[in-house]
Amino acid sequence: MPQATAAVPAALPQIPVSDLAPWAIFSALLAAVVLFFVGAEQGAFSVLEGTLVHEWVHDARHVMGYPCH
Ligand SMILES: [Zn+2]
C-alpha cells in the first residue's frame, strides 16, 4: 500500500515590479477605456456617433448602476 506523502508547496515565482509596471499601466488604461464606453459614451461625451456603442454596453451600464433612461 502506497504511503501518503505531504505535498511540498511550490515556490512562488518572483516577478520584479519593474516588469509588472508596463502591464499594470496598460491594464489601467484599458479599464479606463472600457469604463468610459460603459459609463459615459452617450450624449455630450459621445465619441462615436449614434447609439450602437450604447446598445452594446447597455446591460453592463445597468449592472454597474450608471443612469441610463
Ligand atoms: Zn438603459
Side-chain angles (χ1 to χ4, degrees):
M1 180 173 193
Q3 293 183 349
T5 57
V8 177
L12 295 175
Q14 301 291 318
I15 303 173
V17 173
S18 60
D19 288 351
L20 291 177
W23 291 103
I25 292 169
F26 174 73
S27 299
L29 288 175
L30 190 62
V33 168
V34 169
L35 193 61
F36 169 79
F37 277 106
V38 171
E41 170 61 24
Q42 185 179 14
F45 297 109
S46 181
V47 173
L48 302 174
E49 196 171 323
T51 59
L52 185 62
V53 173
H54 179 81
E55 294 301 325
W56 282 347
V57 298
H58 190 243
D59 291 343
R61 189 179 185 93
H62 281 275
V63 167
M64 295 174 73
Y66 284 99
C68 184
H69 48 83

